[in-house]
Structure formats: structure tokens, C-alpha cells
Amino acid sequence: MAEALSVIPPAVLRNLADKLYEKRKNAALEVEGIVKQLAFAGDHDRIVAVISLLTTEFTYSPQANHRKGGLISLAAATVGLTTEAAQHLELIVPPVLNSFADQDSRVRYYACEALYNIAKVVRGDFIIFFNQIFDALCKLSADSDANVQSAAHLLDRLVKDIVTESDQFSIEEFIPLLRERMNVLNPYVRQFLVGWITVLDSVPDIDMLGFLPDFLDGLFNMLSDSSHEIRQQADSALSEFLQEIKNSPSVDYGRMAEILVQRAGSPDEFTRLTAITWINEFVKLGGDQLVPYYADILGAILPCISDKEDKIRVVACETNEELRAIKADPADAFDVGAILSIARRQLSSEWEATRIEALHWMSTLLSRHRSEVLIFLNDIFDTLLKALSDSSDKVVLLVLDVHACIARDPLHFRQLVAFLVHSFQLDNSLLEKRGALIIRRLCVLLNAERVYRELSAILEGESDLDFASIMVQALNLILLTSSELSEIRDLLKQSLVTPSGKDLYDSLYASWCHSPMAIISLCFLAQTYQHASTVIQSLVEEDINVKLLVQLDKLIRLMETPIFAYLRLQLLEPGRYMWLFKALYGLLMLLPQQSAAFKILKTRLKAVPSYSNSGEQWKRTPSGDLYQFHNVPDGSQTIEDGVIAEDGGSSRNGINFAARLQQFQQMQHQHRVLAKTQAKSRNISSSSTKEPKREEEPIKPQSVERNVTPSRSSKRGLGKLRL
């Protein structure tokens, strides 16, 4: 201390602490001259003493003016040292850096000024303090005083120039410092950080791309900043890095992919668009590096496919197609289970487009990695079944495609059909709204005959008779109306001719017994008209109810469609198709006379011309409505399909119609017993709700009489029945 006091005159020391800037400035110039002389003389001990005096007595003084003077004098001493300044930086710089946190804004301003002047002198030697200076500048960039901010900005520009020129700058030491500050929300700090990233990336010798994963998330975070300028700067920096990635032979896609996946789900639209754009490029460029991240990437893409922003949807769809086109192998860390898990989760999305693409992924995996997918079948099967109730027909059809892919082998086929029947049983609305769509699509994908045989086998043993009846009626209606089942209908027409037709007829018959109208329809398709007539004649009073009449109404209307054109043409040969006439007249006798179906069938029968054919004569009755049959050839009998059999009608392609009739009657007996039990339960329940003192009225059985004409109201109601 004494040495320094002996070198610096007391007047200079007084002026360094003066409140007037000019006096402090002049005193600093005196200090500069003194230090310059000492440096020229090589008296470094006294130089150290002078610096120590300025530091302890001035820069660390409690008086603001002393601190200001100390900062100016330290800068002046550095200027005086010129080339000798580097060896004294460890004494000069720390007090200046300490002053950046001073409470007095003017002191902070002079600290910026002092460090600026010091940096200009020492240039590259300044790098050893870079991290501390960067930290200080980061804080000063958000200073509350505009003058301090301006001074810090000038200092920042100088430091950037020095760093870009220096070969001593360590990017490895700088990156942790940068990473810690990337999530700061202050807009000034954000601008400061983006500025440094951009500058360092422009230096050829500094590999910022290699450290991009360390600060990529912070840059994406800035894309949603409220300041347009910051968003623009962050976007510009990201665009530059993306271009470098395209041109770089070696990039760490994995770490960045994790960040992009998170940012693709950002609530900010611009952030989502940028993230999905990066993912798109990564999928094109990443190759094998991205295989372990496919599931995560898919999880980010699928929701974006339904994004409200058009640009995002377009890029997401393109990325999805690019990703699906890559044929990765499980041996290369391709996780089929993870992909399936993502697709299953996205099946619950509220957006149709996302659900559709999730199903496309399931189909793709089944086609490429079927054995691996079947391992996870239990994880996705329930979700796929629930998806059959989806509000979108497109989704339901794709779900069926997936189910069909799974059901190629017999075990999973039976499991699928059984689950479908069970689902229809649990959810009647599913059968009502989507039953036809589901069954028709499965018939296209899995062979109609195979599907119907399996359904029939399941329903044959169904214990819930009401459900079985409803299900058979639905299947029968689909069989009669769907173009997809035309081959089955053609095969059934050969029931009396070919073994395959007979086998299908027998297979369906067992379950079709649950519904009288279904059996009659089946007989009409198979042209087993005599058996149809026998079935109609076997119906008892309990069978003829409103439900049966509704089904009969549908059948009569269906008989007017092109599917039954062959049957209507057979009416032109009344002698050959005697049992067809008898069956149709049997149906006519069951219908209420005032119903629309009665009038339709009666009109059709009246349209048959009266003529003779091969000795067989049909003559109209005097009323002109009915026909009478005369003159059957001796030794012959007309059987099913109009074939004249010489053996008395015993040859019917191996179909035992007597056994079939017994089977039908037994099944209908079970239905009648169930109906009586249900009616009894309802009556008991109804009786228990009446008042105790009120006399119970006897319950009158209600049924539809075979030939009783309905009341006017019932006529009107049945006449309005429609398909």
C-alpha cells in the first residue's frame, strides 16, 4: 500500500473519488501515465501495488464515487500496461465483474465501460474469463436501466468479435452455461442467447451442430414467445441448423427426436408446425438411427394429422407416409409392440383422420410382421372390438380390415366371429346400426360362406333364444339383400342338385330354426318349396303374432325385388311348381286381408296366367282369385324344384326334410316355452304393483288368430309396415 501511495500523488487519489466525472477521468489519465512508466521500467511489483490500491480502496469502497473512480482507473491502468496487461488480468478483471452486480446503476454502467476498454487492450487474452463475462452480460441484458443495457450491448458485440477471432475459446465449457439459461423467459435474455448461438454457429471452427441437442428445446421454447422479434430470431436460428443437418454426414438424430416429439404436442401452432417439419426431415434423413424412436415419432404424427391448421396436417400426412414406407425389421430394434401401443391409444382419439391412420398402421404391421403382432393380440383385441361401434363408417370398415387380417388362420377366425356375436348380444344398438355393415364387410374379406357357416354354428347353440332369433333375422335379411352374398344365394339355389349346396343348406338350417320367416326364406332361396309349405302348415297359434307378421311383411316385399325374380318367373309354370303356389297361398292366409303385404302377394298371384302345361291344368275359381290343380301324370310325383321324380319323391339330394321339420318344431317349441315364461313373469310383476285392496282382473291371453280379420285400427297399423 505504501509503495502505491508513494507512486500516486494524493491529489490524483482525491480526484478519483470526486463526484465530477471530468475530475475522475483526468485522474484516471494520470494513473494511466504512471502505470505506463512503471511498465516501461519493468517494475511489476509496484504495478501490482497500484492495482491492489485501486481495487481495495476504490472498487470495493462503500462510496459510489470511489467505486466509479476505481473502475475508470483500472481500465486506464490496463491501457497503460498495453502488451504487459495480460499478466495482471487476474487482479484487474474480477473487481470489474463484481461491479456488474452493484446496486448503483451508474456503477454498473462504468463497469461495462471499464471492461470494454480492458477487452479492447487484451483481446484474445480475455477469453480465460469468458464464462464469467458471459454470465454477467446475460444478467445485464435484462438490466432495469436503459443506459446499462446499452453499454452491455456494446460490450457484448466486442466480446463476440473477440471470441470469433480467438482459437482459445472452449465450446465444451460454454455449452453447459448456455443450456442452463435457455429456459429463461425474459425477452432480453432470450435475444441475448439467440444472438450468441447464431454468432457461434457462424464460426467455422466451432461445431455448434454437435451440441444442438443441448439447447434445441430452448430454441423451440422461444417460438411461442409473445415477442414477434424473438420468435423470428429463434425460427431463423432453427432454419439455419436444419439446413446444416441436411448437409451434414453425421448427426445425432436420436436425442433431438425426443425433443421434437414433445414439441409436436405444443399448444402453440407455430411450434407444432416447426416441430413436425423437423420430424419430416428427420424421417427422410435419419434412416436406421431413428428406428428406436419410431413409436415416439408416430405418437407425435398421428394427432397432428387431425390438426386444425392445414399446413400442419399436410406435413404430418406426408411424414406419416414416409415413416410407413420405411421397412424396418424387429431385429434392428424396431419395436412392434410400442408401435401397436401407440396405434391402439390413438384409436380413442376424437378425430376421425387420426383413428383411420392408426388402423392403417395396424394393417401395415400385420402385413409385414404378422407373427410379432399376434404376440400382442390380447393388448389390442378389445380396443379393436370397441372400435366397431365407432361413429365413422370409414373407421368401422378399416377395423374390419384389421380383424380380417388377424382372422386368416382358423383359431383367430373363430375367436373373431365369437367375439362379434358376443358384442352384438351385449350391445343391441351395435347390431341394429352396424350389424349389416360389419357382416357384409367380413363376408367380402373372409369369404361369405365361411363367415355364415361359423355364425350359424355359434347361433345354433346360443342359450339366449331371443337374441338368437334377432340375430338370425338380421343375418337372413343380409343374405336376402346384399350383393356381397350373391354367391351364397346361387349356391343355395343348388341345394337339391349339388352336394355343396346341400351342405350349406344343412349348415344354415340349424340356426335359422330360431325364426320361422328365416326358415321360409331359406327354403325359397333353396327352392325347397314343399318343405316351405310344410313349415308354414306347422305354425301354431302362438307362433302367429305381431313379430311374425312384421317379418312376413318384409319377406313379401323382398319377393318383389330382383333377387327373387327367378321365383316370380317360376309362377309361370304352376303345374311344375305346385308347392311354390301352396307355400305362397299359405303365407297369404296368414296375412291380415287389409294389410299392404296381403294386397301385394294377392296381386302377384292373380297376375299368373291361366293355361295348361304338359297335361297339368290350373283353373281359376269362379272368383278369379285362386287356382285348382288337375291331372298329375300316373306314377309320378312333383317334388322340390319342380323335378318330376319317378321314385315317388324319395330322392331329394340327401336332405332329410322330415328330420329338418322336427328340428324346426323343437326349436320353436323352446321359443314358445320361453315366451310363456316371460309373459308369466311380466304378469306377476304387474300384479305385484297393484293396490292390495283392488281386486285383480283375470289375464286374458292375446294372440293373432290365423284367419280372424283384424279390427280397423290393426288393419291400418299392419298396412303401414315397411322395410
Side-chain angles (χ1 to χ4, degrees):
M1 182 70 69
E3 276 187 300
L5 291 174
S6 65
V7 173
I8 303 176
V12 173
L13 294 176
R14 283 196 307 271
N15 287 335
L16 281 176
D18 198 277
K19 64 180 181 178
L20 295 176
Y21 172 74
E22 287 298 328
K23 288 187 177 182
R24 294 197 301 272
K25 181 180 178 181
N26 291 329
L29 291 174
E30 292 287 339
V31 171
E32 177 186 340
I34 294 170
V35 171
K36 185 179 292 186
Q37 291 177 0
L38 293 175
F40 183 77
D43 193 350
H44 288 281
D45 291 337
R46 288 192 176 185
I47 292 173
V48 170
V50 169
I51 294 173
S52 299
L53 172 66
L54 296 174
T55 300
T56 56
E57 297 298 323
F58 288 89
T59 57
Y60 290 132
S61 171
Q63 301 296 321
N65 288 331
H66 281 68
R67 297 198 296 276
K68 295 174 187 176
L71 290 168
I72 296 175
S73 61
L74 284 176
T78 305
V79 173
L81 286 169
T82 58
T83 57
E84 303 290 331
Q87 58 184 303
H88 298 288
L89 284 179
E90 292 186 2
L91 292 175
I92 296 172
V93 174
V96 178
L97 293 175
N98 183 68
S99 299
F100 283 141
D102 199 284
Q103 294 182 351
D104 191 322
S105 62
R106 296 304 296 169
V107 173
R108 296 198 300 275
Y109 175 84
Y110 285 119
C112 291
E113 185 182 75
L115 194 58
Y116 181 89
N117 290 322
I118 294 169
K120 284 183 67 176
V121 173
V122 297
R123 302 297 290 185
D125 296 325
F126 189 66
I127 293 298
I128 61 173
F129 297 100
F130 175 78
N131 284 1
Q132 296 95 309
I133 294 171
F134 179 84
D135 182 55
L137 287 173
C138 186
K139 295 174 182 176
L140 290 176
S141 64
D143 198 278
S144 58
D145 188 278
N147 291 325
V148 175
Q149 280 191 13
S150 179
H153 179 67
L154 290 173
L155 175 60
D156 179 55
R157 288 173 59 183
L158 176 61
V159 174
K160 286 175 181 173
D161 289 341
I162 294 171
V163 168
T164 57
E165 296 170 358
S166 174
D167 57 358
Q168 300 178 19
F169 176 74
S170 174
I171 186 65
E172 291 80 6
E173 294 179 8
F174 168 69
I175 288 299
L177 197 66
L178 176 64
R179 183 174 57 240
E180 291 173 5
R181 288 156 177 76
M182 285 304 294
N183 291 321
V184 174
L185 299 179
N186 187 283
Y188 297 107
V189 175
R190 284 185 162 182
Q191 283 184 309
F192 170 79
L193 295 173
V194 174
W196 268 99
I197 291 172
T198 304
V199 167
L200 292 177
D201 187 48
S202 66
V203 180
D205 295 335
I206 298 178
D207 181 23
M208 285 294 282
L209 185 59
F211 296 95
L212 182 57
D214 291 289
F215 55 87
L216 180 64
D217 188 62
L219 283 175
F220 268 93
N221 200 29
M222 295 179 189
L223 291 176
S224 59
D225 196 278
S226 57
S227 168
H228 174 73
E229 186 178 356
I230 293 174
R231 293 198 304 271
Q232 195 173 39
Q233 289 177 353
D235 180 52
S236 178
L238 286 168
S239 298
E240 184 62 32
F241 278 118
L242 185 57
Q243 189 60 44
E244 290 178 26
I245 289 172
K246 293 178 182 179
N247 299 327
S248 176
S250 177
V251 178
D252 183 4
Y253 290 101
R255 287 180 60 196
M256 289 188 284
E258 295 176 354
I259 297 169
L260 297 175
V261 165
Q262 295 296 323
R263 289 299 172 179
S266 170
D268 179 68
E269 185 178 293
F270 186 48
T271 303
R272 289 200 309 278
L273 176 59
T274 306
I276 205 71
T277 301
W278 273 62
I279 291 175
N280 179 268
E281 294 296 337
F282 275 29
V283 170
K284 294 176 181 177
L285 302 169
D288 295 340
Q289 283 193 48
L290 287 177
V291 171
Y293 302 95
Y294 274 7
D296 293 334
I297 291 174
L298 182 62
I301 292 172
L302 289 179
C304 290
I305 287 174
S306 302
D307 200 279
K308 60 183 180 181
E309 174 59 37
D310 288 342
K311 293 180 181 179
I312 296 176
R313 289 200 304 272
V314 170
V315 178
C317 289
E318 179 185 336
T319 308
N320 183 56
E321 293 302 322
E322 292 279 353
L323 189 63
R324 192 158 50 218
I326 300 173
K327 296 182 179 180
D329 192 274
D332 299 327
F334 180 70
D335 193 340
V336 174
I339 295 284
L340 279 175
S341 179
I342 293 294
R344 177 183 59 81
R345 187 165 66 243
Q346 293 301 328
L347 270 182
S348 302
S349 169
E350 61 179 311
W351 306 108
E352 180 188 35
T354 295
R355 300 197 300 275
I356 287 174
E357 288 307 319
L359 288 165
H360 280 150
W361 268 98
M362 288 187 175
S363 296
T364 300
L365 291 176
L366 275 167
S367 64
R368 295 178 183 172
H369 312 290
R370 177 179 176 80
S371 58
E372 287 82 1
V373 172
L374 293 181
I375 295 174
F376 301 96
L377 186 59
N378 291 335
D379 297 333
I380 63 173
F381 204 79
D382 288 343
T383 304
L384 285 171
L385 285 174
K386 291 177 182 177
L388 290 172
S389 302
D390 197 278
S391 58
S392 167
D393 285 349
K394 291 182 180 179
V395 171
V396 173
L397 291 175
L398 284 172
V399 171
L400 291 171
D401 287 348
V402 174
H403 276 302
C405 289
I406 295 173
R408 287 174 184 169
D409 57 277
L411 175 62
H412 291 113
F413 173 77
R414 288 191 293 271
Q415 187 181 13
L416 168 62
V417 178
F419 266 109
L420 273 178
V421 173
H422 182 63
S423 299
F424 288 145
Q425 186 173 9
L426 293 178
D427 186 2
N428 288 331
S429 63
L430 178 61
L431 176 60
E432 179 182 348
K433 296 177 181 178
R434 293 293 171 79
L437 178 68
I438 292 171
I439 298 300
R440 290 170 60 185
R441 186 61 180 170
L442 281 182
C443 286
V444 171
L445 298 171
L446 294 174
N447 184 277
E449 182 181 349
R450 184 185 179 198
V451 171
Y452 260 69
R453 284 179 180 273
E454 189 65 31
L455 286 169
S456 181
I458 293 172
L459 292 172
E460 181 182 356
E462 177 58 53
S463 59
D464 186 345
L465 297 181
D466 285 339
F467 166 71
S469 178
I470 293 172
M471 187 72 190
V472 165
Q473 292 168 30
L475 292 174
N476 184 64
L477 186 61
I478 296 169
L479 175 62
L480 294 177
T481 59
S482 299
S483 59
E484 295 87 346
L485 276 72
S486 60
E487 292 184 4
I488 290 188
R489 292 195 294 269
D490 291 340
L491 186 58
L492 284 171
K493 290 176 185 177
Q494 303 298 315
S495 297
L496 296 174
V497 181
T498 63
S500 57
K502 176 256 181 187
D503 188 50
L504 177 59
Y505 179 83
D506 285 342
S507 176
L508 298 183
Y509 195 100
S511 58
W512 258 236
C513 286
H514 284 290
S515 170
M517 279 303 107
I519 281 292
I520 294 170
S521 301
L522 182 64
C523 290
F524 283 163
L525 278 177
Q527 303 183 72
T528 56
Y529 300 132
Q530 182 177 357
H531 187 64
S533 177
T534 306
V535 168
I536 294 169
Q537 293 291 331
S538 72
L539 297 176
V540 299
E541 179 180 343
E542 290 89 342
D543 297 329
I544 306 171
N545 50 34
V546 174
K547 290 182 179 179
L548 181 127
L549 292 176
V550 170
Q551 296 171 44
L552 180 53
D553 182 280
K554 292 182 179 180
L555 176 59
I556 298 302
R557 294 176 187 276
L558 283 171
M559 288 171 61
E560 296 297 314
T561 63
I563 289 175
F564 282 104
Y566 71 92
L567 183 147
R568 298 195 300 274
L569 290 173
Q570 288 170 354
L571 293 176
L572 296 175
E573 302 180 69
R576 185 178 181 186
Y577 296 99
M578 174 184 68
W579 292 110
L580 171 59
F581 273 88
K582 190 170 183 179
L584 292 177
Y585 273 110
L587 295 180
L588 188 68
M589 294 303 105
L590 296 179
L591 287 165
Q593 293 186 33
Q594 299 303 315
S595 67
F598 180 89
K599 296 176 182 178
I600 292 171
L601 182 55
K602 181 181 177 182
T603 302
R604 175 60 64 185
L605 291 172
K606 285 180 66 176
V608 177
S610 177
Y611 61 89
S612 61
N613 182 22
S614 301
E616 299 168 356
Q617 297 180 348
W618 279 73
K619 296 182 179 179
R620 292 185 187 276
T621 60
S623 65
D625 292 341
L626 303 178
Y627 292 84
Q628 295 176 341
F629 178 66
H630 301 278
N631 300 332
V632 178
D634 294 337
S636 300
Q637 181 176 345
T638 305
I639 61 167
E640 312 293 356
D641 200 25
V643 177
I644 304 299
E646 300 296 334
D647 59 358
S650 61
S651 176
R652 303 187 183 186
N653 197 27
I655 300 176
N656 189 338
F657 286 106
R660 297 283 80 80
L661 179 63
Q662 184 179 7
Q663 187 179 20
F664 170 74
Q665 290 174 330
Q666 289 175 349
M667 182 60 71
Q668 288 305 303
H669 175 71
Q670 294 181 35
H671 278 274
R672 287 192 288 271
V673 170
L674 176 64
K676 290 178 181 178
T677 303
Q678 292 174 341
K680 185 177 180 180
S681 299
R682 287 194 297 268
N683 291 337
I684 294 174
S685 176
S686 177
S687 299
S688 64
T689 59
K690 295 181 179 180
E691 297 179 6
K693 295 183 180 181
R694 185 174 179 177
E695 184 177 353
E696 295 185 3
E697 297 181 1
I699 299 173
K700 297 180 180 180
Q702 299 197 11
S703 63
V704 180
E705 296 296 334
R706 185 185 298 247
N707 294 316
V708 176
T709 303
S711 64
R712 185 174 299 275
S713 61
S714 65
K715 292 176 188 176
R716 187 177 298 112
L718 288 171
K720 293 181 179 179
L721 291 173
R722 293 291 185 271
L723 281 176

